[in-house]
Amino acid sequence: MADAYRRAGVDIEAGEALVDAIKPAAAATRRPGADATLGGFGGVFDLKACGYDDPLLVSGTDGVGTKLLVAIETGRHEGVGIDLVAMCANDILAQGAEPLFFLDYYATSKLEVDVAAAVVRGVAEGCRRAGCALIGGETAEMPGVYKPGDYDLAGFCVGAVERERLLPGEAQAGDVLIGLPSSGPHSNGFSLIRKIVKEAGADWSIAAPFASKRTLAEAMLEPTRIYVRELLPLMQAGRLRAAAHITGGGLVENPPRALPAHLRPRIDRASWETPALFQWLAEAGGLDEADLLQTFNCGVGMMLVVAPEGADALLSDLSAASAFVMGDVAAAG
């Protein structure tokens, strides 16, 4: 039966080999509430062990998008596992939640154990950075759905927050907007990035025009920054009124999601210098400011909303994270 299934394109033994290969990486993500063992039918997490008094669960799911095609083309796979965790963990962090556990889904045409193991090791590293446990996942071989060599990823993160600390809170006109730098494009805008690179006649292996000590692939594939360690203690202490994870839709669509309808973010574009990577994309792709702001994070990975009287102390506490004032909150209309 196994031979018949293998002839149809699915190798059960390869799947078992992958589980064995990634068990050490998953075990390294242990945290209170999870022992991070793999192989069961479901992942188990003990919420009581985390010490919450009146918790709300917050969940998020996401993928990596067409950034995967760059990783596949260049053979650089571990970073996209970090991206996968980051896109989910940063989303629930924006609601004040502590990421507790994570599950991944890896689908491909034919399972290449080395490639899949590299991806999942990246997932485990992302979980370590986010402080959450990798408690399970799923691998699927689907010949005919995916082209040979291609794979896709999805991630699922669950976190918790005390009810009184759920974000967004009560933002007010006059509140200060504080930005935390991104590490690059993160995992957004890669359909446009790939189009620009192709039309510019560039190759992923060349020195990046904006960072000569790195290849274009290395610069573009820099993993998404995870903000949990810097921000979670501040959120748990009630020092933030809101936060926005700057993902798809860029600085146009995401900041307003952190505010009620009667308020609007007033962003000062002169408050930070657009990183050279985005300047190159604008020049090579003929993009105007509106294109940049609606497609990319333009150097801001997370936006915080804080009361004016708490802004200076917050900037001081986040100085190592290179936080900066990027605007304020105003009445809408």
Side-chain angles (χ1 to χ4, degrees):
M1 187 66 166
D3 287 340
Y5 208 8
R6 187 181 296 111
R7 288 194 296 272
V10 178
D11 190 341
I12 295 174
E13 292 180 358
E16 294 171 346
L18 175 61
V19 172
D20 289 339
I22 63 178
K23 278 183 177 179
T29 69
R30 287 189 177 96
R31 55 150 295 146
D35 62 12
T37 57
L38 299 181
F41 289 99
V44 177
F45 192 91
D46 181 3
L47 186 58
K48 186 176 180 180
C50 297
Y52 285 90
D53 295 320
D54 185 19
L56 295 172
L57 294 180
V58 182
S59 62
T61 183
D62 210 335
V64 182
T66 56
K67 188 174 186 177
L68 289 178
L69 294 176
V70 183
I72 292 166
E73 184 177 340
T74 60
R76 303 177 63 89
H77 302 288
E78 290 198 12
V80 293
I82 299 173
D83 286 311
L84 184 66
V85 177
M87 298 306 289
C88 300
N90 286 338
D91 270 357
I92 69 170
L93 179 68
Q95 306 237 203
E98 174 189 9
L100 298 177
F101 61 87
F102 191 87
L103 298 97
D104 67 285
Y105 176 78
Y106 179 98
T108 186
S109 173
K110 178 177 175 56
L111 184 60
E112 298 179 43
V113 174
D114 291 346
V115 171
V119 171
V120 180
R121 281 195 298 269
V123 172
E125 172 60 20
C127 287
R128 189 189 65 79
R129 296 183 187 185
C132 61
L134 177 59
I135 66 171
E138 177 67 15
T139 302
E141 285 186 292
M142 295 191 286
V145 175
Y146 295 96
K147 295 185 298 183
D150 281 356
Y151 61 84
D152 198 8
L153 295 175
F156 312 87
C157 190
V158 175
V161 57
E162 295 286 7
R163 189 180 303 269
E164 64 180 10
R165 297 302 189 204
L166 181 69
L167 297 180
E170 295 296 327
Q172 300 176 20
D175 282 349
V176 178
L177 304 180
I178 292 177
L180 291 180
S182 67
S183 57
H186 286 180
S187 295
N188 302 109
F190 270 84
S191 293
L192 179 55
I193 289 172
R194 290 170 47 249
K195 180 175 183 289
I196 291 171
V197 169
K198 181 178 180 180
E199 292 181 350
D203 185 274
W204 294 113
S205 63
I206 67 169
F210 47 85
S212 59
K213 294 184 180 180
R214 311 182 76 189
T215 67
L216 189 58
E218 288 171 339
M220 291 298 183
L221 289 173
E222 180 69 29
T224 303
R225 182 173 172 182
I226 297 175
Y227 299 92
V228 175
R229 291 179 180 175
E230 296 100 334
L231 296 185
L232 186 61
L234 304 175
M235 293 173 170
Q236 292 176 331
R239 296 176 60 187
L240 301 183
R241 285 183 166 162
H245 182 203
I246 310 304
T247 57
L251 286 163
V252 173
E253 296 182 13
N254 290 289
R257 297 169 62 188
L259 299 172
H262 68 280
L263 297 175
R264 64 181 177 88
R266 192 162 53 182
I267 294 173
D268 178 8
R269 279 291 280 123
S271 62
W272 79 96
E273 183 177 356
T274 303
L277 181 153
F278 298 104
Q279 294 180 30
W280 179 79
L281 286 171
E283 293 169 5
L287 308 179
D288 60 21
E289 180 79 349
D291 288 325
L292 277 180
L293 291 175
Q294 190 149 22
T295 308
F296 302 111
N297 63 55
C298 295
V300 182
M302 188 75 79
M303 185 198 79
L304 314 177
V305 181
V306 61
E309 61 271 19
D312 287 344
L314 197 74
L315 285 167
S316 178
D317 289 342
L318 291 173
S319 60
S322 302
F324 59 94
V325 174
M326 59 179 291
D328 61 10
V329 175

